[in-house]
Every structure is written in structure tokens, then in C-alpha cells.
Amino acid sequence: MLFKLSFSSMRKSFKDYLVLLFGLTISIAIFYMFQTLAQNKVFLESNAMISSIVFVFHVGTFILAAITIFYIFYATSFMLSMRQKEMGMYMTLGAKKYKVAQMMFFETFFIGMISLLIGIAIGIGLAEGIASLFMWQLDFSGEGFEAFYLSSIMTTVIFYVILFSLTSIVNAVKVARQSVLELLHADRKHDEVNTKGSRTIIGVFFAIALIAVGYYAMIHIDKLVQFGVILAAITITIGTYLIFISFLPYFIKKLKGIRTLNEKGLNAFTLAQLRFRVMNLTKVLGTVTMLIALGLGALTAGISFYHNIEKQSSMFQTNDVVVHQPSETDEEIIETLNITEQHEYRYKVKKDGVYFLKEDLLNNPPLIREFNPEIKEIPEPKSVATSLPAEKYAWNEDEQMKAMPEGWYTAISTELNTSFYMFGGRDIYIYDKTNFQKIDGKEQHVFTAMIEDFKEALPKLEKIDKGQQEIAASMTGEKPETTGSKYSNYVAIKGFSNGTIFMGFFLGVAFLMMMASVLMFKLLSSANADIQRYDMLRKIGVRRSVLTKSIYRELFLVFLFPAIIGLVHVLVGMQMFSFIIIEPYTKIWIPISIFILIYGIYYVMTVQMYKRIVLPKEE
Amino acid sequence: MSKPVLQVKNLHKIYGKKNQNQYHALDHVSFTINEGEFVGIMGPSGAGKTTLLNVISTLDDASEGTIEIAGTNITSMKQNQLADFRSEQLGFIFQDFNLLENLTVYENIALPLSLQGVSSKKIKPNVEKVAQRLGIESILKKYPVTISGGQKQRVAAARALVHEPAMILADEPTGALDSKNAKSLMETIMDLNENHDVSIMLVTHDPLSASYCQRIMFIQDGKLYKEINRNSTREVFHQQILNVLAEFSG
């Protein structure tokens, strides 16, 4: 009989359950998605740029599991808050306590199992969808990645079944422990407000100290390596929670203490609500901040790696296009490029070497980038400044010839791409006009150019590069895998970056989706307690528009604090990648915009759902 | 004769849609309350007391008829106008206090003034004055959860008074109080009425609370059934009320 009642009431408050189901499903889907990556060692090891990627995923699994446990407990306590009044009523009507507790257990477990089924299905779908979207975007085959990954399904199922059993027991025990009256009046609880000055100061001090240690570890990750990752993960997590426990309530209290602000319009109420939230949500806000940091961090790193491809490939070469012995087809393609600067250099090829004409080189000294391993930025291009007074130069000094002055070898081998790939073991020489004419062999030329948009020209450059491979084949006798051109470097770097970028995008989006839903839940689960407050305000004559504004403001601030702190974590955290990525902050506005968009959608959704709960419909 | 503060004419309230089971909660009710009057509304459960209060307090709209409060016809007003009207012209005291438990007593009382945009400089003396009048100066900094039921209702009364509304509507204000606190609160309300010219409409089914009024209207089945005035002592009036109530059951 009780079960029949329980099902009928679940049907009645279907919309509330939908919110719960939605949250649980998202959590499960994301956990599963993470596992599809984390457990797929083949995929990780063959696609990541970072050798310790498996370790990173172990840390990630741990953090995600911890967050998920928190999350599921929140979500199921939301369910308890919805049901306890009714449970109390059954008990007043004579239902036995253990029966009601049993009912609570099965309800929680039932909802858990349904969401597990849907969650895994959605997880597989999302993994497939997001994966193919990014793979398509990145032009990345993603070998080894499987959206339907059996061992991940097993892990997810086991993890959640245990978790739901635990939460179901907790809910049942909570119901059993409370008296009938407590259950009946569960919606009339009062909020305790308590902030002590001295504890706050100590808390703030520790929070800042811990975060400082974490930031230090992230900035000096090149020396601390794995220890640094663990250190930063621990100190920053604890520090963040401490900030929300100590500083924020104190801050709001101070804000409320400003009388002219507090006594203006509905501010007293808005700030009181905010203070109450901040006091009650310390752990949630901390969790959300960490999720933002992880999600946005992963996304930013992914995008940063993505932009790094072009940077890395222009690390050595100033010229975007270098064409040896351009064919007619090459000429046609060159004409369609947006060239900003172009030159030609004449040379002759013999069996033992490649001979460049000194006058051409001196007329247009090539720009070179001097590579310095100490400096992380891309070196500024400089034209070769040393003069060439002698008639002949060789790369290697011998009795007959002087060695090339500094810079010239780089200029020819790199900027004019007279590399091993193109010319095999041939030496490089510079001859003046008289000597150049004496060399017997056909006069050739190499065309160099800088263009406006390298990435846009990629398909054209691909064609040119194919032609160059043919030339290389004719020089060396076999077709090289790469020509050493900027284009071929780009392709190579992209090849081994894609896996990392993919993981970053994938996890970033997953974490961001989960993060906001944690906050949404916790806010909505306490909304029932606020109904009375808003009803009273309405009665004493507060306009609906004023109430709406108050809700928007209050929730805006609740959403704002974790966003700011999470963002700062990310900005500092990107330092971790500075040893592997050139200029990690390039185009950081892209991941930040994506984050703001997802977060903004959740904010508006939360406000709308909250409004639906606390403000009665307009007649 | 003094001016009317509330004029109810031919007020009719129907619940339910046409062609379905309709319920006439209020059946063509008309009455007047003058400035400075303390009027009680009594009647058995389901008589229409709460409906009447809700319609007069602009929380619910009338199906027919007009209501004028302080010379303003509220039956034709829009939602926002009604909200403004409530915040300026009416003061509410509810059975379950309806204080905001996350605000201090001071903030609770100050709220109606804040909402009207009164500057915080002017709010303070007003709150202190009304707190003194109700004997709650010493608890202004406390939160509602830490004070007694009787004190809570005084805070609610202070909040209802602070913006000097045209009329106070009290809905079973003693309903959640013990007899000692109830008596004390009713004496305070009576004092506000007698010495500070506050117009009050009290809805109750407690004869003792009602005996503090000057006039009582009884309603039954949505109609005005009887009206009695206090002519002598409160004790006598109390007995008169009990007699009328006996007629209902008889």
C-alpha cells in the first residue's frame, strides 16, 4: 500500500523529480565519459603529448570521484527534502517507522538506478557526439577511442550502485531518526547565522597561504614535476574551500553592515538571502570553483595546444613558403597566395653540394630566427647581418675555403630549406658570381615568401609540399616523409598535439557541464524553504518585478564568486604548460567565452526554475 | 462623523468556473469602516472570513462589487499598482507572524520603509519610535528565531505600523499565542487604536480577542449575518459575542 502511495506521489511531483533525474543523469554521463578516456590506455599513450598522462588521469579520476560523491549526496538530500513532509504525514496516519524508512530507501535507490541507465546511455551518446565533433574539428582520427567502452561501463555501474546504496541508506536513516513532528515541520527550519572575527582571520590567512603554495608549485612545475601537481591539487583545493568557509561569509556580513546599502529597497532581504546561501553553500561553492578550475583549465589547455601548433611550427622559420625549382603548377598556386614579401635565390646542385649565388643572398639577406632554448617566446626574426667579403664559403672550413660567417648556414639550411630532407648529405656553399658561373650544372632557383594567413593557405601549401617531395626524391633517390618546410612541421606537430587537444576539449566541456549543475541543484533544493519568504514579501506589497530583480541579483552573486576564483586558478594554472606551450595565454578569450556561455545558460536556467518555485504564477 | 477608511459595496466572490460547481464565498456584502475604528470580523470556519480579508487586502480579486480604501477604488487596479498600494496603505499582521527569519528584528520592521525608498537616516528614528510603542526596543538586534512568540507578533505589529498605513489588517493575530501573550497583544492593539487613531480590521474566531473591538460583524455562508457594538465594558461585550456565537450553533 505504501509503495503505491509512494509511486503516485512521485508521479504527482514529476517535474521536481525531473530536475533530480536530470542532475543525476548528467553526473553519471560525465563520470562515464571521463572513464572512457581514463581507462583507455591505448588511446592515452598513443595520443598524448605528455608522457605522464595516465598519472594525470589517475589524479583526475580521484578528484572526479570525490566531487561525484559530494554531488550525489546533495542531489539525494534534495529528494529527502521533497519527500519528508509526506513521510511525516504517513507516520502520523500510523505507518510504521521502518516501513517509511524502507520506502525512502527504495525510492532513492529506484531513482538512482533509473538515472544510471539513462546516464550511461546519454554518456555513450555524448562521448560519441563530442568526440566526433572535436575529431572533425581537429581533423584527428583519434585511433583507439571508443565511446562504448565496456570496462568503463562496468566501473561506472559499480561506482554508482555502491554510491546509491549508501545514499539510500543515509536517506532512510535520516527519516528513521527524525521524529514525526520534525518531519512534518521540516520546511520551517531556521537558519543559524554565525561568523566569528578571530576564526575568520585565521581561516583567511590559511586560505591565502595554501593557495600561494599551490600557485608557486604550478608556476615552478618544471622543477617540481609530479610532486608539484599533487601539491598544487591538495593545497589549492583546501585553500579554495577555506576561502568560501571563512572569507566570503565575513565579506557579505561586512557588506550588509553598510547601512545605506542595506536599507535601500529590498537590499536587506537580498543580502540576507545571499548571506544565508553563502553560509550554507560553502562546500558547494568550493566544489563548483574546483570544477570550474578543472574544466576551464582543461579547455584552455586544449585550445592553447591547438594554437600552439602554428606557433611551434613558426618557431624556426620566418618564411611561410619555400619552393625549390617551382613548377608551372607551383607558380599558379603562388599567384593565388596573399604574399607580403617574396624573394628568389639562385643556386646550382652538384653531387657533392648545393652552391648558392652570393649576390642574391646579399641583395636580400634572409630573415632568420635564432633559437635560444632559454627563452620561451618565439625569437624575433632578424636579417643576417654578417658580410661575405670572400669569394667562396663552405659550411665546413677547409684549406681552400673559409667557413660561412654566423647566421648564413641557418639562413640557407632553414630559411631556404636546403635541408637534409631535400638534398640529402650535400654540403652547402656560397660562391660569388664569377665562381658560380664556372660551376657546371643547371642554374636553379628557390622561391621564398611570407604570407598573410598561414592557416588559411594550408590546402594550397599541401599541394606545393607534394611537389617538393618529388624534387627531394629526384635529389636523394627516395621520397622523404617530410620536407622540413613550415607546412610539414605544422602537420607533424599537429599530429602529436591532437590527442592532447582532444582530451582537453572533451574533459573541459564535461566538467563545465557538471559544475554548473551542482550549483543549480543545491540552489533549487533549498528553494522550497524560501517560498514562505517570498509569499510574505508579496503580501506586504513588494512588486513582482522587484522580487524578480532580487532573485537575479542574489543568484548572480552566488554564481559570480566561484567563477572569479576558478578563473584566477586557471590563469595561474596555465603557467604549468609554459614549458611545453609557447605563450599559453594566446586567445584565452575563447575558452573563457565558452565557459561564460555555459555558465550563463545555467545561471538563467537556475533563476527561471527558482522563480517558478518561489514566486506564484501571475493571475 | 468621521470619514470612512474602508467602503465595501456589493462585494461578491465566486470560486470555480462557469457551468461547473460554483461556490459563492462572498454573497453581495456591503459595509463601511470609519477612520479610527477597530472592527472585528467573526464567523465559523468556511463562512468567508479569509476570503473577505484576502479581497480587501488586494491579494485576491473580487468577482463583483467595489472596495474603496482611503478613497481609492482598488477593484480596478493592476498587479503592480496593487503591490504599491499594499506597501503604502496597508499593514498586515498574520497568525504565523510571517517575519523573515534571516533578517534582524530591526531589519524586519524597517523593510516597508526601505521598500518605499525612505533613506536610512529617516528609517532609524521611525523604527525606534514604533519599537518603543510596542515595547520591543531591547530586541531590535536579535533574529526572530531567538525571541518568543509574543515578541514576534509585536515585531509583526511594528512592521505593520511603521509606514503609517491607512488601515491595519490583522488575521488571527493571537492564533499562535498563549492566553497571557494574547491578552497583552490585544491590549497593545487596542491602545494603538484608542491612543494613536489607527484603523484596524481584525479577523478572528476567538471571542476574547474579538471583545477588544468596538464593533463586530458576523458573517455566515458569505453573508453579513449580524453586527454588534460595544456599549459598555469589555466583559459584557465578551458575553454578547458568546451569545451570538451560540446562535450559530443553535
Side-chain angles (χ1 to χ4, degrees):
Chain A
M1 184 59 202
L2 272 178
F3 283 95
K4 213 170 147 191
L5 270 175
S6 132
F7 273 107
S8 76
S9 74
M10 274 166 89
R11 241 200 339 255
K12 214 167 53 212
S13 44
F14 181 67
K15 267 187 189 165
D16 291 326
Y17 278 93
L18 215 59
V19 176
L20 178 66
L21 212 59
F22 175 72
L24 294 178
T25 308
I26 283 199
S27 150
I28 294 163
I30 285 159
F31 186 86
Y32 170 77
M33 276 163 70
F34 188 85
Q35 291 306 319
T36 55
L37 284 187
Q39 300 195 354
N40 197 332
K41 275 204 182 120
V42 182
F43 173 76
L44 287 184
E45 280 168 354
S46 60
N47 286 296
M49 266 174 97
I50 308 163
S51 58
S52 52
I53 195 79
V54 177
F55 162 78
V56 169
F57 270 89
H58 280 317
V59 175
T61 303
F62 174 75
I63 295 176
L64 185 64
I67 291 168
T68 308
I69 292 171
F70 262 120
Y71 181 78
I72 297 297
F73 271 92
Y74 283 132
T76 45
S77 73
F78 166 64
M79 177 161 170
L80 183 69
S81 76
M82 278 196 314
R83 305 279 296 134
Q84 54 191 0
K85 201 171 177 175
E86 202 176 317
M87 296 288 173
M89 206 180 70
Y90 294 151
M91 264 146 85
T92 39
L93 295 177
K96 293 216 172 58
K97 212 165 203 180
Y98 80 87
K99 260 289 194 225
V100 174
Q102 209 179 34
M103 190 164 121
M104 196 67 227
F105 176 89
F106 281 111
E107 266 185 37
T108 314
F109 199 72
F110 177 70
I111 291 286
M113 289 308 106
I114 290 186
S115 44
L116 186 57
L117 273 180
I118 305 174
I120 289 183
I122 290 180
I124 294 170
L126 270 182
E128 182 65 52
I130 294 181
S132 46
L133 176 75
F134 288 147
M135 285 177 187
W136 174 71
Q137 271 287 322
L138 294 170
D139 192 14
F140 164 57
S141 63
E143 267 161 60
F145 180 79
E146 284 170 61
F148 185 90
Y149 200 66
L150 200 62
S151 102
S152 301
I153 293 179
M154 292 305 293
T155 314
T156 311
V157 168
I158 293 169
F159 181 73
Y160 277 93
V161 167
I162 293 174
L163 201 51
F164 281 129
S165 309
L166 281 177
T167 52
S168 305
I169 290 170
V170 168
N171 269 0
V173 169
K174 270 189 191 161
V175 167
R177 271 229 197 119
Q178 276 173 328
S179 73
V180 181
L181 283 178
E182 278 170 337
L183 286 174
L184 278 175
H185 299 301
D187 54 343
R188 293 197 185 175
K189 261 187 255 159
H190 299 292
D191 320 312
E192 299 282 335
V193 176
N194 198 351
T195 39
K196 280 206 183 106
S198 60
R199 262 178 50 192
T200 307
I201 292 167
I202 296 171
V204 171
F205 172 77
F206 270 106
I208 291 173
L210 284 168
I211 291 179
V213 169
Y215 281 0
Y216 179 87
M218 291 201 292
I219 292 168
H220 295 92
I221 202 81
D222 47 344
K223 288 177 201 118
L224 298 167
V225 210
Q226 292 199 352
F227 171 70
V229 176
I230 297 172
L231 183 69
I234 294 172
T235 53
I236 290 177
T237 309
I238 299 175
T240 304
Y241 280 104
L242 266 179
I243 285 234
F244 283 104
I245 290 168
S246 61
F247 174 70
L248 207 54
Y250 181 74
F251 175 72
I252 307 267
K253 195 181 159 197
K254 282 280 157 213
L255 206 62
K256 206 166 157 35
I258 305 170
R259 276 214 6 236
T260 45
L261 180 77
N262 194 39
E263 285 170 16
K264 204 171 158 204
L266 203 53
N267 280 359
F269 175 73
T270 311
L271 286 172
Q273 284 286 89
L274 185 62
R275 182 184 50 188
F276 151 73
R277 294 244 182 276
V278 163
M279 303 280 300
N280 278 270
L281 298 180
T282 47
K283 283 172 227 108
V284 182
L285 292 177
T287 308
V288 169
T289 307
M290 291 314 293
L291 280 172
I292 291 174
L294 289 174
L296 185 55
L299 199 62
T300 310
I303 288 176
S304 198
F305 269 103
Y306 183 69
H307 291 298
N308 187 51
I309 298 174
E310 194 185 343
K311 291 243 167 60
Q312 198 95 286
S313 55
S314 42
M315 184 100 187
F316 309 106
Q317 282 144 317
T318 314
N319 285 321
D320 297 306
V321 192
V322 179
V323 192
H324 282 280
Q325 304 161 27
S327 66
E328 266 175 39
T329 345
D330 290 339
E331 303 275 11
E332 276 166 25
I333 296 170
I334 289 167
E335 257 171 48
T336 65
L337 295 170
N338 285 325
I339 293 172
T340 53
E341 200 182 321
Q342 65 178 72
H343 300 294
E344 278 183 18
Y345 304 92
R346 279 169 283 178
Y347 66 88
K348 285 180 180 172
V349 186
K350 286 210 316 191
K351 258 190 188 155
D352 63 330
V354 188
Y355 299 81
F356 278 87
L357 179 60
K358 188 171 93 171
E359 281 71 8
D360 277 1
L361 291 170
L362 285 176
N363 285 344
N364 297 301
L367 293 170
I368 57 166
R369 293 184 198 273
E370 274 171 36
F371 181 69
N372 181 349
E374 290 295 304
I375 299 167
K376 281 165 186 163
E377 284 93 49
I378 302 175
E380 275 301 307
K382 279 186 273 183
S383 58
V384 187
T386 45
S387 57
L388 298 168
E391 290 175 355
K392 295 177 182 177
Y393 290 98
W395 175 34
N396 291 314
E397 196 173 4
D398 57 27
E399 288 133 30
Q400 299 169 5
M401 269 180 260
K402 279 193 171 175
M404 271 174 221
E406 195 195 323
W408 285 106
Y409 178 71
T410 318
I412 295 170
S413 68
T414 311
E415 290 302 336
L416 306 186
N417 195 23
T418 313
S419 59
F420 179 80
Y421 304 112
M422 288 301 294
F423 295 97
R426 290 183 177 85
D427 269 345
I428 296 170
Y429 300 94
I430 300 175
Y431 276 27
D432 69 358
K433 208 169 183 176
T434 339
N435 288 302
F436 185 74
Q437 277 165 354
K438 283 180 199 160
I439 299 167
D440 102 75
K442 200 184 163 204
E443 186 183 288
Q444 308 280 6
H445 75 274
V446 54
F447 170 87
T448 68
M450 279 177 253
I451 56 176
E452 243 160 48
D453 193 341
F454 178 74
K455 268 168 100 173
E456 220 167 77
L458 283 172
K460 294 171 185 170
L461 298 182
E462 188 186 354
K463 283 185 199 147
I464 292 178
D465 214 61
K466 284 229 170 86
Q468 295 294 295
Q469 280 184 327
E470 298 300 330
I471 292 169
S474 71
M475 295 287 166
T476 62
E478 65 181 312
K479 207 170 164 180
E481 266 181 40
T482 168
T483 58
S485 65
K486 185 171 167 183
Y487 170 81
S488 65
N489 285 344
Y490 179 88
V491 172
I493 296 168
K494 191 176 166 184
F496 55 78
S497 302
N498 268 344
T500 315
I501 296 169
F502 171 77
M503 287 172 216
F505 281 8
F506 188 88
L507 293 182
V509 170
F511 274 131
L512 287 184
M513 279 169 68
M514 179 157 162
M515 145 292 292
S517 76
V518 171
L519 193 52
M520 189 168 105
F521 248 94
K522 191 56 192 173
L523 287 171
L524 291 180
S525 69
S526 63
N528 275 320
D530 294 335
I531 295 177
Q532 241 187 338
R533 294 177 187 166
Y534 284 95
D535 187 45
M536 189 237 102
L537 287 170
R538 200 180 57 91
K539 277 185 186 162
I540 68 165
V542 184
R543 281 182 175 210
R544 197 183 154 88
S545 56
V546 175
L547 289 177
T548 309
K549 214 165 100 187
S550 164
I551 294 176
Y552 267 105
R553 273 199 205 162
E554 176 202 335
L555 295 186
F556 178 75
L557 290 172
V558 171
F559 271 76
L560 184 68
F561 295 123
I564 289 176
I565 299 179
L567 200 59
V568 174
H569 285 348
V570 170
L571 290 179
V572 178
M574 285 311 290
Q575 282 292 330
M576 285 200 293
F577 297 98
S578 59
F579 75 99
I580 193 167
I581 299 177
I582 309 161
E583 296 166 18
Y585 295 99
T586 318
K587 297 202 180 165
I588 196 156
W589 62 270
I590 295 176
I592 291 177
S593 309
I594 294 175
F595 160 66
I596 290 173
L597 185 73
I598 297 182
Y599 205 57
I601 290 173
Y602 269 109
Y603 163 66
V604 173
M605 255 170 70
T606 311
V607 171
Q608 293 306 331
M609 290 171 87
Y610 185 81
K611 245 173 67 185
R612 209 177 55 89
I613 299 176
V614 298
L615 292 182
K617 272 184 198 127
E618 199 87 49
E619 276 148 35
Chain B
M1 205 188 139
S2 57
K3 277 196 299 182
V5 64
L6 171 71
Q7 272 187 300
V8 174
K9 283 182 198 154
N10 208 20
L11 186 62
H12 203 72
K13 176 71 185 175
I14 305 169
Y15 287 113
K17 284 175 193 156
K18 267 187 183 173
N19 309 324
Q20 286 176 5
N21 260 350
Q22 286 194 330
Y23 173 64
H24 296 253
L26 291 175
D27 194 359
H28 303 285
V29 176
S30 300
F31 65 91
T32 304
I33 294 178
N34 288 321
E35 258 177 26
E37 255 199 305
F38 183 6
V39 176
I41 307 277
M42 290 193 83
S45 295
K49 294 191 301 278
T50 308
T51 308
L52 182 63
L53 190 77
N54 282 344
V55 175
I56 290 173
S57 61
T58 76
L59 293 170
D60 203 348
D61 53 351
S63 307
E64 250 178 71
T66 56
I67 300 166
E68 270 184 35
I69 300 174
T72 314
N73 183 355
I74 60 161
T75 32
S76 58
M77 285 167 119
K78 297 254 162 55
Q79 281 291 336
N80 278 341
Q81 287 175 305
L82 285 175
D84 291 348
F85 183 82
R86 281 203 294 278
S87 70
E88 285 158 19
Q89 301 293 339
L90 299 177
F92 292 96
I93 306 174
F94 304 97
Q95 175 174 0
D96 47 3
F97 323 126
N98 260 328
L99 297 175
L100 290 166
E101 73 276 11
N102 52 6
L103 297 183
T104 59
V105 167
Y106 178 91
E107 287 171 329
N108 263 292
I109 300 172
L111 196 60
L113 293 177
S114 302
L115 286 170
Q116 286 176 27
V118 178
S119 74
S120 65
K121 261 189 210 151
K122 285 184 189 156
I123 288 176
K124 202 172 178 209
N126 275 311
V127 172
E128 279 166 357
K129 198 173 82 190
V130 73
Q132 200 184 9
R133 208 187 284 171
L134 287 157
I136 48 172
E137 318 90 294
S138 60
I139 55 165
L140 283 177
K141 283 186 177 160
K142 292 190 171 175
Y143 283 91
V145 67
T146 60
I147 62 178
S148 73
Q151 285 174 320
K152 276 184 197 165
Q153 204 54 297
R154 280 165 190 277
V155 174
R159 186 183 60 191
L161 275 174
V162 74
H163 55 301
E164 296 177 343
M167 185 167 62
I168 286 188
L169 301 170
D171 184 7
E172 303 275 8
T174 56
L177 301 180
D178 60 62
S179 63
K180 192 173 149 243
N181 271 314
K183 191 163 172 272
S184 155
L185 180 76
M186 286 316 298
E187 276 165 4
T188 309
I189 292 179
M190 195 169 74
D191 172 66
L192 290 173
N193 170 252
E194 286 177 355
N195 301 322
H196 300 276
D197 288 329
V198 181
S199 315
I200 300 165
M201 188 178 116
L202 169 81
V203 172
T204 186
H205 61 250
D206 171 31
L208 194 67
S209 297
S211 70
Y212 288 87
C213 300
Q214 292 160 346
R215 177 157 67 107
I216 292 178
M217 290 181 284
F218 294 88
I219 59 172
Q220 189 175 23
D221 299 331
K223 286 179 192 154
L224 275 188
Y225 166 80
K226 193 167 188 138
E227 189 173 317
I228 55 172
N229 284 287
R230 175 151 72 128
N231 302 316
S232 57
T233 60
R234 194 176 61 76
E235 285 72 23
V236 174
F237 197 44
H238 184 206
Q239 194 52 53
Q240 283 180 310
I241 296 166
L242 291 175
N243 292 342
V244 176
L245 292 177
E247 288 173 27
F248 282 122
S249 45

